Amino acid sequence: MERITSKSNQLVKDIKRLITSSGERAEKGLFVLEGARLCFDVLNSAYSVKYFLITDSAFEKYNKEATELIKLSESSYYISREVSEKLSDTKSPQGVFAVCEIKKTNEKLSDKIIALDNVQDPANIGAIFRTAEALGIKSIITHNCCDIYNPKTLRASMGGVLRLAPKESDNLEKTLKALKSEYKIYSTVPDENAVRITDIDFSTPCVCVIGNEANGVSEEVKAASDKLVTIPMLGKAESLNASVAAALTMWEMLR
Amino acid sequence: MERITSKSNQLVKDIKRLITSSGERAEKGLFVLEGARLCFDVLNSAYSVKYFLITDSAFEKYNKEATELIKLSESSYYISREVSEKLSDTKSPQGVFAVCEIKKTNEKLSDKIIALDNVQDPANIGAIFRTAEALGIKSIITHNCCDIYNPKTLRASMGGVLRLAPKESDNLEKTLKALKSEYKIYSTVPDENAVRITDIDFSTPCVCVIGNEANGVSEEVKAASDKLVTIPMLGKAESLNASVAAALTMWEMLR
């Protein structure tokens, strides 16, 4: 296994660009996982690993999983602490990195779907994937959201992004219209005149749309919905964080 | 109104210490709000303002609210952009700061209480206050948590900390035992053998305890509880973020 000790090594530079630029990720079809937990989560996912990089001390610490990942990976490298610090998105890097191939999912949609319309905060998207996985929502459609392969999103999702296989939609209105014969479409809105989410019958197949942090669900998507639904609030209105609103929505879908 | 232009001004140094050190905040009985929204939220709160600091450009932009806050504040100062940058916890400071007095609440507890046992992440605590306010939970007891006057907590709470008047408990077990004649005490646990939260009757006065991110609710507090309750998860277990678990709990308390 080769060793990379220089921060100016070309592969290190290329990986750094994949970490910082969503355009680069889209162009190369690759993304980067950092940290022991996320990297070793790949072992139980459908993703392929192109490069695996690990410091000596991390290899000692995570010997078993690292050995497995080295087998799985196209190429693997030992890296110096300097290289690890250069690549890391955190203050105390664990020294474990995996470059994986972005893959399009062909999985059939399940009967409870969350659609994210222009959700922009990487931490919110990550938290939504994490909660979806915990509560048992199996299908997520994203439209015009921040890149789910952003390091912050991957971290906040606790690996949920790796296991949930989201579908990306170029045109959410069209995607939802195509689903309408099989699914009820509900857009969540901060509007007390909408139907209370506790009054919806979620026993049939349905899609719930969560909108942008500031502007909510787009007008076209609202128009394409069967109902506008809202989370009734006793306190100060319009004040739920997007990831909390999504959590309460998913909870009600499965309750 | 005096003008402070030097980063080494003693008041600037004192305020910076209040921002960075929870010990300093406790000793001086003061905390610092940053940003237009949070500072002007003080106008509708019970907090007293000791110092108000604002840059010229922020004063122009927020003239009306700033003028009100200047009236309310013991002392006010114009500050240079350098001073604002020195004080700021963010990359693009808005140039508005208020130093407020920490106050102990004497408010009567309401009939639905959230107790936070050793919750340590400032963003989680802030998110819990924000959600509590939105959903209508009016009483929060904190025990051994990170300082709620931490800048990150104040920001994540969207001002909720200013309006909710949390009570601090030195000994949560004792506090809960004292409440037991009037309230049911429920500790939330990630244990599928506990009572499902959807099976609890929340119509009577109750306290729900949310535990530490890694270790959950302490053994003593669990022992002092009427029931251990859990959020049923269909997916991967033990994987809800503390602020999401708290949100679902509060939702069920008020549903």
Side-chain angles (χ1 to χ4, degrees), chain A residues 37 130 133-135 231 233-236 239-241 248 251-252 255, chain B residues 37 130 133-135 198 231 233-236 239-241 248 251-252 255:
Chain A
R37 186 178 162 153
R130 178 178 176 184
E133 189 182 22
L135 294 180
I231 295 168
M233 287 187 263
L234 297 174
K236 207 168 139 261
S239 167
L240 286 175
N241 169 284
L248 296 176
W251 173 253
E252 284 298 317
R255 195 176 182 274
Chain B
R37 186 178 163 152
R130 178 178 175 184
E133 189 182 23
L135 294 180
T198 44
I231 295 169
M233 286 186 264
L234 295 175
K236 208 170 139 258
S239 168
L240 287 175
N241 167 283
L248 296 176
W251 173 252
E252 284 297 317
R255 195 175 184 275

PDB file of all heavy atoms in Angstrom, chain A residues 37 130 133-135 231 233-236 239-241 248 251-252 255, chain B residues 37 130 133-135 198 231 233-236 239-241 248 251-252 255:
ATOM      1  N   ARG A  37     -16.660   6.334  11.610  1.00  0.00           N
ATOM      2  CA  ARG A  37     -18.025   5.824  11.568  1.00  0.00           C
ATOM      3  C   ARG A  37     -18.612   5.879  10.159  1.00  0.00           C
ATOM      4  O   ARG A  37     -19.133   4.899   9.643  1.00  0.00           O
ATOM      5  CB  ARG A  37     -18.883   6.642  12.542  1.00  0.00           C
ATOM      6  CG  ARG A  37     -20.244   6.064  12.627  1.00  0.00           C
ATOM      7  CD  ARG A  37     -21.172   6.741  13.582  1.00  0.00           C
ATOM      8  NE  ARG A  37     -22.506   6.294  13.168  1.00  0.00           N
ATOM      9  CZ  ARG A  37     -23.557   6.200  13.942  1.00  0.00           C
ATOM     10  NH1 ARG A  37     -23.463   6.546  15.181  1.00  0.00           N
ATOM     11  NH2 ARG A  37     -24.704   5.779  13.473  1.00  0.00           N
ATOM     12  N   ARG A 130     -31.263  11.555   8.758  1.00  0.00           N
ATOM     13  CA  ARG A 130     -31.050  10.779   9.983  1.00  0.00           C
ATOM     14  C   ARG A 130     -32.390  10.396  10.621  1.00  0.00           C
ATOM     15  O   ARG A 130     -32.614   9.241  10.986  1.00  0.00           O
ATOM     16  CB  ARG A 130     -30.223  11.613  10.964  1.00  0.00           C
ATOM     17  CG  ARG A 130     -29.996  10.918  12.289  1.00  0.00           C
ATOM     18  CD  ARG A 130     -29.129  11.750  13.216  1.00  0.00           C
ATOM     19  NE  ARG A 130     -29.011  11.092  14.504  1.00  0.00           N
ATOM     20  CZ  ARG A 130     -28.371  11.614  15.552  1.00  0.00           C
ATOM     21  NH1 ARG A 130     -27.786  12.793  15.430  1.00  0.00           N
ATOM     22  NH2 ARG A 130     -28.305  10.968  16.684  1.00  0.00           N
ATOM     23  N   GLU A 133     -34.383   7.832   8.545  1.00  0.00           N
ATOM     24  CA  GLU A 133     -33.900   6.471   8.726  1.00  0.00           C
ATOM     25  C   GLU A 133     -34.360   5.891  10.068  1.00  0.00           C
ATOM     26  O   GLU A 133     -34.801   4.745  10.137  1.00  0.00           O
ATOM     27  CB  GLU A 133     -32.374   6.453   8.638  1.00  0.00           C
ATOM     28  CG  GLU A 133     -31.866   5.039   8.608  1.00  0.00           C
ATOM     29  CD  GLU A 133     -30.358   4.942   8.562  1.00  0.00           C
ATOM     30  OE1 GLU A 133     -29.681   5.907   8.972  1.00  0.00           O
ATOM     31  OE2 GLU A 133     -29.870   3.890   8.134  1.00  0.00           O
ATOM     32  N   ALA A 134     -34.263   6.707  11.127  1.00  0.00           N
ATOM     33  CA  ALA A 134     -34.637   6.222  12.459  1.00  0.00           C
ATOM     34  C   ALA A 134     -36.125   5.891  12.525  1.00  0.00           C
ATOM     35  O   ALA A 134     -36.518   4.869  13.080  1.00  0.00           O
ATOM     36  CB  ALA A 134     -34.284   7.258  13.517  1.00  0.00           C
ATOM     37  N   LEU A 135     -36.955   6.760  11.958  1.00  0.00           N
ATOM     38  CA  LEU A 135     -38.402   6.557  12.078  1.00  0.00           C
ATOM     39  C   LEU A 135     -38.915   5.520  11.079  1.00  0.00           C
ATOM     40  O   LEU A 135     -39.962   4.930  11.274  1.00  0.00           O
ATOM     41  CB  LEU A 135     -39.142   7.880  11.889  1.00  0.00           C
ATOM     42  CG  LEU A 135     -38.905   8.944  12.975  1.00  0.00           C
ATOM     43  CD1 LEU A 135     -39.696  10.208  12.662  1.00  0.00           C
ATOM     44  CD2 LEU A 135     -39.273   8.434  14.356  1.00  0.00           C
ATOM     45  N   ILE A 231     -48.590  22.046  10.695  1.00  0.00           N
ATOM     46  CA  ILE A 231     -48.327  21.556  12.047  1.00  0.00           C
ATOM     47  C   ILE A 231     -48.907  22.575  13.009  1.00  0.00           C
ATOM     48  O   ILE A 231     -48.414  23.702  13.069  1.00  0.00           O
ATOM     49  CB  ILE A 231     -46.804  21.410  12.273  1.00  0.00           C
ATOM     50  CG1 ILE A 231     -46.259  20.328  11.340  1.00  0.00           C
ATOM     51  CG2 ILE A 231     -46.485  21.113  13.721  1.00  0.00           C
ATOM     52  CD1 ILE A 231     -44.756  20.277  11.260  1.00  0.00           C
ATOM     53  N   MET A 233     -49.495  24.925  15.920  1.00  0.00           N
ATOM     54  CA  MET A 233     -48.592  25.411  16.962  1.00  0.00           C
ATOM     55  C   MET A 233     -49.374  26.259  17.950  1.00  0.00           C
ATOM     56  O   MET A 233     -50.138  27.133  17.566  1.00  0.00           O
ATOM     57  CB  MET A 233     -47.476  26.237  16.329  1.00  0.00           C
ATOM     58  CG  MET A 233     -46.472  25.368  15.593  1.00  0.00           C
ATOM     59  SD  MET A 233     -45.055  26.289  14.999  1.00  0.00           S
ATOM     60  CE  MET A 233     -45.554  26.588  13.313  1.00  0.00           C
ATOM     61  N   LEU A 234     -49.164  25.980  19.228  1.00  0.00           N
ATOM     62  CA  LEU A 234     -49.839  26.751  20.271  1.00  0.00           C
ATOM     63  C   LEU A 234     -49.071  28.032  20.553  1.00  0.00           C
ATOM     64  O   LEU A 234     -49.601  29.009  21.028  1.00  0.00           O
ATOM     65  CB  LEU A 234     -49.937  25.942  21.565  1.00  0.00           C
ATOM     66  CG  LEU A 234     -50.763  24.664  21.472  1.00  0.00           C
ATOM     67  CD1 LEU A 234     -50.666  23.879  22.759  1.00  0.00           C
ATOM     68  CD2 LEU A 234     -52.206  25.029  21.181  1.00  0.00           C
ATOM     69  N   GLY A 235     -47.770  27.987  20.290  1.00  0.00           N
ATOM     70  CA  GLY A 235     -46.915  29.123  20.660  1.00  0.00           C
ATOM     71  C   GLY A 235     -46.746  30.082  19.497  1.00  0.00           C
ATOM     72  O   GLY A 235     -47.626  30.263  18.666  1.00  0.00           O
ATOM     73  N   LYS A 236     -45.557  30.669  19.444  1.00  0.00           N
ATOM     74  CA  LYS A 236     -45.222  31.640  18.426  1.00  0.00           C
ATOM     75  C   LYS A 236     -45.158  30.924  17.075  1.00  0.00           C
ATOM     76  O   LYS A 236     -44.479  29.926  16.915  1.00  0.00           O
ATOM     77  CB  LYS A 236     -43.850  32.226  18.775  1.00  0.00           C
ATOM     78  CG  LYS A 236     -43.604  33.603  18.267  1.00  0.00           C
ATOM     79  CD  LYS A 236     -42.335  34.152  18.936  1.00  0.00           C
ATOM     80  CE  LYS A 236     -41.482  34.914  17.949  1.00  0.00           C
ATOM     81  NZ  LYS A 236     -40.356  34.156  17.400  1.00  0.00           N
ATOM     82  N   SER A 239     -42.189  29.179  13.527  1.00  0.00           N
ATOM     83  CA  SER A 239     -40.921  29.225  14.217  1.00  0.00           C
ATOM     84  C   SER A 239     -40.260  27.864  14.361  1.00  0.00           C
ATOM     85  O   SER A 239     -39.287  27.719  15.068  1.00  0.00           O
ATOM     86  CB  SER A 239     -41.156  29.895  15.566  1.00  0.00           C
ATOM     87  OG  SER A 239     -40.088  29.740  16.397  1.00  0.00           O
ATOM     88  N   LEU A 240     -40.760  26.859  13.654  1.00  0.00           N
ATOM     89  CA  LEU A 240     -40.097  25.559  13.717  1.00  0.00           C
ATOM     90  C   LEU A 240     -38.966  25.488  12.706  1.00  0.00           C
ATOM     91  O   LEU A 240     -39.104  25.891  11.559  1.00  0.00           O
ATOM     92  CB  LEU A 240     -41.090  24.436  13.425  1.00  0.00           C
ATOM     93  CG  LEU A 240     -42.104  24.100  14.514  1.00  0.00           C
ATOM     94  CD1 LEU A 240     -43.072  23.048  14.003  1.00  0.00           C
ATOM     95  CD2 LEU A 240     -41.403  23.595  15.766  1.00  0.00           C
ATOM     96  N   ASN A 241     -37.852  24.961  13.145  1.00  0.00           N
ATOM     97  CA  ASN A 241     -36.742  24.657  12.259  1.00  0.00           C
ATOM     98  C   ASN A 241     -37.194  23.607  11.221  1.00  0.00           C
ATOM     99  O   ASN A 241     -38.011  22.743  11.536  1.00  0.00           O
ATOM    100  CB  ASN A 241     -35.613  24.109  13.141  1.00  0.00           C
ATOM    101  CG  ASN A 241     -34.493  23.499  12.369  1.00  0.00           C
ATOM    102  OD1 ASN A 241     -34.617  22.383  11.868  1.00  0.00           O
ATOM    103  ND2 ASN A 241     -33.424  24.222  12.214  1.00  0.00           N
ATOM    104  N   LEU A 248     -41.564  16.059  12.710  1.00  0.00           N
ATOM    105  CA  LEU A 248     -42.941  15.925  13.175  1.00  0.00           C
ATOM    106  C   LEU A 248     -43.833  15.392  12.045  1.00  0.00           C
ATOM    107  O   LEU A 248     -44.728  14.572  12.277  1.00  0.00           O
ATOM    108  CB  LEU A 248     -43.462  17.270  13.690  1.00  0.00           C
ATOM    109  CG  LEU A 248     -42.740  17.830  14.935  1.00  0.00           C
ATOM    110  CD1 LEU A 248     -43.281  19.207  15.285  1.00  0.00           C
ATOM    111  CD2 LEU A 248     -42.869  16.889  16.126  1.00  0.00           C
ATOM    112  N   TRP A 251     -43.103  11.683  11.607  1.00  0.00           N
ATOM    113  CA  TRP A 251     -43.694  11.005  12.781  1.00  0.00           C
ATOM    114  C   TRP A 251     -45.193  10.780  12.571  1.00  0.00           C
ATOM    115  O   TRP A 251     -45.705   9.689  12.786  1.00  0.00           O
ATOM    116  CB  TRP A 251     -43.430  11.874  14.016  1.00  0.00           C
ATOM    117  CG  TRP A 251     -44.089  11.432  15.275  1.00  0.00           C
ATOM    118  CD1 TRP A 251     -45.161  12.021  15.888  1.00  0.00           C
ATOM    119  CD2 TRP A 251     -43.722  10.329  16.120  1.00  0.00           C
ATOM    120  NE1 TRP A 251     -45.477  11.362  17.044  1.00  0.00           N
ATOM    121  CE2 TRP A 251     -44.621  10.316  17.215  1.00  0.00           C
ATOM    122  CE3 TRP A 251     -42.735   9.352  16.040  1.00  0.00           C
ATOM    123  CZ2 TRP A 251     -44.552   9.374  18.221  1.00  0.00           C
ATOM    124  CZ3 TRP A 251     -42.658   8.400  17.054  1.00  0.00           C
ATOM    125  CH2 TRP A 251     -43.549   8.402  18.124  1.00  0.00           C
ATOM    126  N   GLU A 252     -45.884  11.811  12.114  1.00  0.00           N
ATOM    127  CA  GLU A 252     -47.334  11.690  11.897  1.00  0.00           C
ATOM    128  C   GLU A 252     -47.632  10.729  10.745  1.00  0.00           C
ATOM    129  O   GLU A 252     -48.627  10.008  10.773  1.00  0.00           O
ATOM    130  CB  GLU A 252     -47.941  13.066  11.625  1.00  0.00           C
ATOM    131  CG  GLU A 252     -48.095  13.928  12.869  1.00  0.00           C
ATOM    132  CD  GLU A 252     -49.043  13.312  13.902  1.00  0.00           C
ATOM    133  OE1 GLU A 252     -50.104  12.798  13.506  1.00  0.00           O
ATOM    134  OE2 GLU A 252     -48.716  13.339  15.099  1.00  0.00           O
ATOM    135  N   ARG A 255     -47.161   7.333  12.460  1.00  0.00           N
ATOM    136  CA  ARG A 255     -47.653   7.152  13.830  1.00  0.00           C
ATOM    137  C   ARG A 255     -48.730   6.061  13.921  1.00  0.00           C
ATOM    138  O   ARG A 255     -49.589   5.949  13.116  1.00  0.00           O
ATOM    139  CB  ARG A 255     -48.234   8.484  14.327  1.00  0.00           C
ATOM    140  CG  ARG A 255     -48.434   8.533  15.832  1.00  0.00           C
ATOM    141  CD  ARG A 255     -48.913   9.931  16.205  1.00  0.00           C
ATOM    142  NE  ARG A 255     -49.088  10.061  17.638  1.00  0.00           N
ATOM    143  CZ  ARG A 255     -50.204   9.712  18.288  1.00  0.00           C
ATOM    144  NH1 ARG A 255     -51.203   9.209  17.620  1.00  0.00           N
ATOM    145  NH2 ARG A 255     -50.299   9.887  19.604  1.00  0.00           N
TER     146      ARG A 255
ATOM    147  N   ARG B  37     -31.737  40.638  15.395  1.00  0.00           N
ATOM    148  CA  ARG B  37     -32.948  39.958  15.817  1.00  0.00           C
ATOM    149  C   ARG B  37     -32.944  39.641  17.306  1.00  0.00           C
ATOM    150  O   ARG B  37     -33.882  39.954  18.034  1.00  0.00           O
ATOM    151  CB  ARG B  37     -33.110  38.671  14.998  1.00  0.00           C
ATOM    152  CG  ARG B  37     -34.401  38.019  15.300  1.00  0.00           C
ATOM    153  CD  ARG B  37     -34.713  36.776  14.536  1.00  0.00           C
ATOM    154  NE  ARG B  37     -35.781  36.131  15.295  1.00  0.00           N
ATOM    155  CZ  ARG B  37     -36.699  35.342  14.801  1.00  0.00           C
ATOM    156  NH1 ARG B  37     -36.690  35.056  13.536  1.00  0.00           N
ATOM    157  NH2 ARG B  37     -37.622  34.815  15.561  1.00  0.00           N
ATOM    158  N   ARG B 130     -36.314  26.604  21.061  1.00  0.00           N
ATOM    159  CA  ARG B 130     -37.062  27.124  19.920  1.00  0.00           C
ATOM    160  C   ARG B 130     -38.331  26.308  19.674  1.00  0.00           C
ATOM    161  O   ARG B 130     -39.428  26.853  19.508  1.00  0.00           O
ATOM    162  CB  ARG B 130     -36.160  27.090  18.672  1.00  0.00           C
ATOM    163  CG  ARG B 130     -36.865  27.557  17.433  1.00  0.00           C
ATOM    164  CD  ARG B 130     -35.925  27.563  16.235  1.00  0.00           C
ATOM    165  NE  ARG B 130     -36.654  27.911  15.025  1.00  0.00           N
ATOM    166  CZ  ARG B 130     -36.116  27.925  13.815  1.00  0.00           C
ATOM    167  NH1 ARG B 130     -34.837  27.635  13.656  1.00  0.00           N
ATOM    168  NH2 ARG B 130     -36.835  28.245  12.768  1.00  0.00           N
ATOM    169  N   GLU B 133     -40.984  26.717  22.433  1.00  0.00           N
ATOM    170  CA  GLU B 133     -41.740  27.954  22.297  1.00  0.00           C
ATOM    171  C   GLU B 133     -42.782  27.838  21.180  1.00  0.00           C
ATOM    172  O   GLU B 133     -43.933  28.250  21.339  1.00  0.00           O
ATOM    173  CB  GLU B 133     -40.787  29.119  22.015  1.00  0.00           C
ATOM    174  CG  GLU B 133     -41.526  30.433  22.079  1.00  0.00           C
ATOM    175  CD  GLU B 133     -40.650  31.620  21.758  1.00  0.00           C
ATOM    176  OE1 GLU B 133     -39.619  31.453  21.073  1.00  0.00           O
ATOM    177  OE2 GLU B 133     -41.017  32.718  22.179  1.00  0.00           O
ATOM    178  N   ALA B 134     -42.372  27.254  20.049  1.00  0.00           N
ATOM    179  CA  ALA B 134     -43.292  27.145  18.914  1.00  0.00           C
ATOM    180  C   ALA B 134     -44.482  26.240  19.245  1.00  0.00           C
ATOM    181  O   ALA B 134     -45.620  26.552  18.924  1.00  0.00           O
ATOM    182  CB  ALA B 134     -42.555  26.609  17.692  1.00  0.00           C
ATOM    183  N   LEU B 135     -44.201  25.115  19.909  1.00  0.00           N
ATOM    184  CA  LEU B 135     -45.280  24.159  20.163  1.00  0.00           C
ATOM    185  C   LEU B 135     -46.133  24.571  21.355  1.00  0.00           C
ATOM    186  O   LEU B 135     -47.279  24.147  21.474  1.00  0.00           O
ATOM    187  CB  LEU B 135     -44.710  22.756  20.377  1.00  0.00           C
ATOM    188  CG  LEU B 135     -44.034  22.115  19.155  1.00  0.00           C
ATOM    189  CD1 LEU B 135     -43.504  20.731  19.511  1.00  0.00           C
ATOM    190  CD2 LEU B 135     -44.987  22.014  17.967  1.00  0.00           C
ATOM    191  N   THR B 198     -46.659   6.986  22.522  1.00  0.00           N
ATOM    192  CA  THR B 198     -48.022   7.125  22.002  1.00  0.00           C
ATOM    193  C   THR B 198     -49.051   6.448  22.920  1.00  0.00           C
ATOM    194  O   THR B 198     -50.249   6.633  22.732  1.00  0.00           O
ATOM    195  CB  THR B 198     -48.111   6.522  20.584  1.00  0.00           C
ATOM    196  OG1 THR B 198     -47.405   5.272  20.582  1.00  0.00           O
ATOM    197  CG2 THR B 198     -47.482   7.425  19.558  1.00  0.00           C
ATOM    198  N   ILE B 231     -39.687   6.543  22.232  1.00  0.00           N
ATOM    199  CA  ILE B 231     -40.212   6.899  20.925  1.00  0.00           C
ATOM    200  C   ILE B 231     -40.041   5.681  20.031  1.00  0.00           C
ATOM    201  O   ILE B 231     -38.911   5.299  19.720  1.00  0.00           O
ATOM    202  CB  ILE B 231     -39.439   8.105  20.350  1.00  0.00           C
ATOM    203  CG1 ILE B 231     -39.687   9.330  21.237  1.00  0.00           C
ATOM    204  CG2 ILE B 231     -39.810   8.370  18.899  1.00  0.00           C
ATOM    205  CD1 ILE B 231     -38.790  10.500  20.953  1.00  0.00           C
ATOM    206  N   MET B 233     -39.367   3.368  17.096  1.00  0.00           N
ATOM    207  CA  MET B 233     -38.692   3.603  15.818  1.00  0.00           C
ATOM    208  C   MET B 233     -38.784   2.362  14.970  1.00  0.00           C
ATOM    209  O   MET B 233     -38.521   1.254  15.424  1.00  0.00           O
ATOM    210  CB  MET B 233     -37.236   3.974  16.068  1.00  0.00           C
ATOM    211  CG  MET B 233     -37.095   5.386  16.605  1.00  0.00           C
ATOM    212  SD  MET B 233     -35.383   5.907  16.734  1.00  0.00           S
ATOM    213  CE  MET B 233     -35.079   5.548  18.442  1.00  0.00           C
ATOM    214  N   LEU B 234     -39.171   2.558  13.707  1.00  0.00           N
ATOM    215  CA  LEU B 234     -39.261   1.434  12.782  1.00  0.00           C
ATOM    216  C   LEU B 234     -37.903   1.134  12.175  1.00  0.00           C
ATOM    217  O   LEU B 234     -37.635   0.040  11.729  1.00  0.00           O
ATOM    218  CB  LEU B 234     -40.245   1.771  11.652  1.00  0.00           C
ATOM    219  CG  LEU B 234     -41.693   1.967  12.087  1.00  0.00           C
ATOM    220  CD1 LEU B 234     -42.531   2.420  10.910  1.00  0.00           C
ATOM    221  CD2 LEU B 234     -42.249   0.670  12.654  1.00  0.00           C
ATOM    222  N   GLY B 235     -37.061   2.170  12.120  1.00  0.00           N
ATOM    223  CA  GLY B 235     -35.785   2.024  11.430  1.00  0.00           C
ATOM    224  C   GLY B 235     -34.670   1.640  12.384  1.00  0.00           C
ATOM    225  O   GLY B 235     -34.880   0.923  13.357  1.00  0.00           O
ATOM    226  N   LYS B 236     -33.493   2.154  12.100  1.00  0.00           N
ATOM    227  CA  LYS B 236     -32.307   1.880  12.889  1.00  0.00           C
ATOM    228  C   LYS B 236     -32.476   2.539  14.260  1.00  0.00           C
ATOM    229  O   LYS B 236     -32.782   3.723  14.354  1.00  0.00           O
ATOM    230  CB  LYS B 236     -31.109   2.482  12.146  1.00  0.00           C
ATOM    231  CG  LYS B 236     -29.803   1.804  12.385  1.00  0.00           C
ATOM    232  CD  LYS B 236     -28.775   2.356  11.399  1.00  0.00           C
ATOM    233  CE  LYS B 236     -27.427   2.571  12.061  1.00  0.00           C
ATOM    234  NZ  LYS B 236     -27.137   3.955  12.408  1.00  0.00           N
ATOM    235  N   SER B 239     -31.085   6.313  17.138  1.00  0.00           N
ATOM    236  CA  SER B 239     -30.424   7.155  16.172  1.00  0.00           C
ATOM    237  C   SER B 239     -31.060   8.533  16.031  1.00  0.00           C
ATOM    238  O   SER B 239     -30.743   9.277  15.132  1.00  0.00           O
ATOM    239  CB  SER B 239     -30.405   6.402  14.847  1.00  0.00           C
ATOM    240  OG  SER B 239     -30.034   7.217  13.815  1.00  0.00           O
ATOM    241  N   LEU B 240     -31.984   8.896  16.953  1.00  0.00           N
ATOM    242  CA  LEU B 240     -32.552  10.235  16.869  1.00  0.00           C
ATOM    243  C   LEU B 240     -31.657  11.239  17.571  1.00  0.00           C
ATOM    244  O   LEU B 240     -31.167  11.001  18.670  1.00  0.00           O
ATOM    245  CB  LEU B 240     -33.940  10.268  17.513  1.00  0.00           C
ATOM    246  CG  LEU B 240     -35.081   9.608  16.747  1.00  0.00           C
ATOM    247  CD1 LEU B 240     -36.343   9.638  17.594  1.00  0.00           C
ATOM    248  CD2 LEU B 240     -35.320  10.317  15.420  1.00  0.00           C
ATOM    249  N   ASN B 241     -31.470  12.376  16.947  1.00  0.00           N
ATOM    250  CA  ASN B 241     -30.785  13.496  17.567  1.00  0.00           C
ATOM    251  C   ASN B 241     -31.594  13.962  18.788  1.00  0.00           C
ATOM    252  O   ASN B 241     -32.826  13.894  18.780  1.00  0.00           O
ATOM    253  CB  ASN B 241     -30.697  14.582  16.483  1.00  0.00           C
ATOM    254  CG  ASN B 241     -30.289  15.917  17.029  1.00  0.00           C
ATOM    255  OD1 ASN B 241     -31.101  16.619  17.632  1.00  0.00           O
ATOM    256  ND2 ASN B 241     -29.050  16.267  16.847  1.00  0.00           N
ATOM    257  N   LEU B 248     -40.303  15.498  19.258  1.00  0.00           N
ATOM    258  CA  LEU B 248     -41.373  14.490  19.161  1.00  0.00           C
ATOM    259  C   LEU B 248     -42.046  14.304  20.524  1.00  0.00           C
ATOM    260  O   LEU B 248     -43.266  14.136  20.610  1.00  0.00           O
ATOM    261  CB  LEU B 248     -40.808  13.167  18.638  1.00  0.00           C
ATOM    262  CG  LEU B 248     -40.246  13.200  17.203  1.00  0.00           C
ATOM    263  CD1 LEU B 248     -39.631  11.856  16.832  1.00  0.00           C
ATOM    264  CD2 LEU B 248     -41.317  13.581  16.190  1.00  0.00           C
ATOM    265  N   TRP B 251     -44.247  17.308  21.178  1.00  0.00           N
ATOM    266  CA  TRP B 251     -45.406  17.179  20.278  1.00  0.00           C
ATOM    267  C   TRP B 251     -46.457  16.239  20.873  1.00  0.00           C
ATOM    268  O   TRP B 251     -47.643  16.544  20.918  1.00  0.00           O
ATOM    269  CB  TRP B 251     -44.907  16.670  18.927  1.00  0.00           C
ATOM    270  CG  TRP B 251     -45.952  16.321  17.921  1.00  0.00           C
ATOM    271  CD1 TRP B 251     -46.307  15.071  17.519  1.00  0.00           C
ATOM    272  CD2 TRP B 251     -46.770  17.216  17.159  1.00  0.00           C
ATOM    273  NE1 TRP B 251     -47.275  15.135  16.561  1.00  0.00           N
ATOM    274  CE2 TRP B 251     -47.585  16.439  16.328  1.00  0.00           C
ATOM    275  CE3 TRP B 251     -46.880  18.610  17.105  1.00  0.00           C
ATOM    276  CZ2 TRP B 251     -48.506  16.987  15.440  1.00  0.00           C
ATOM    277  CZ3 TRP B 251     -47.803  19.171  16.235  1.00  0.00           C
ATOM    278  CH2 TRP B 251     -48.597  18.367  15.416  1.00  0.00           C
ATOM    279  N   GLU B 252     -46.002  15.088  21.361  1.00  0.00           N
ATOM    280  CA  GLU B 252     -46.930  14.123  21.944  1.00  0.00           C
ATOM    281  C   GLU B 252     -47.557  14.655  23.237  1.00  0.00           C
ATOM    282  O   GLU B 252     -48.718  14.378  23.525  1.00  0.00           O
ATOM    283  CB  GLU B 252     -46.217  12.790  22.207  1.00  0.00           C
ATOM    284  CG  GLU B 252     -45.977  11.974  20.949  1.00  0.00           C
ATOM    285  CD  GLU B 252     -47.281  11.544  20.254  1.00  0.00           C
ATOM    286  OE1 GLU B 252     -48.213  11.135  20.942  1.00  0.00           O
ATOM    287  OE2 GLU B 252     -47.338  11.639  19.018  1.00  0.00           O
ATOM    288  N   ARG B 255     -50.221  17.012  21.846  1.00  0.00           N
ATOM    289  CA  ARG B 255     -51.000  16.607  20.665  1.00  0.00           C
ATOM    290  C   ARG B 255     -52.493  16.544  20.957  1.00  0.00           C
ATOM    291  O   ARG B 255     -52.922  16.050  21.936  1.00  0.00           O
ATOM    292  CB  ARG B 255     -50.506  15.224  20.198  1.00  0.00           C
ATOM    293  CG  ARG B 255     -50.972  14.857  18.808  1.00  0.00           C
ATOM    294  CD  ARG B 255     -50.314  13.537  18.422  1.00  0.00           C
ATOM    295  NE  ARG B 255     -50.642  13.162  17.062  1.00  0.00           N
ATOM    296  CZ  ARG B 255     -51.745  12.504  16.710  1.00  0.00           C
ATOM    297  NH1 ARG B 255     -52.623  12.195  17.615  1.00  0.00           N
ATOM    298  NH2 ARG B 255     -51.946  12.183  15.450  1.00  0.00           N
TER     299      ARG B 255
END
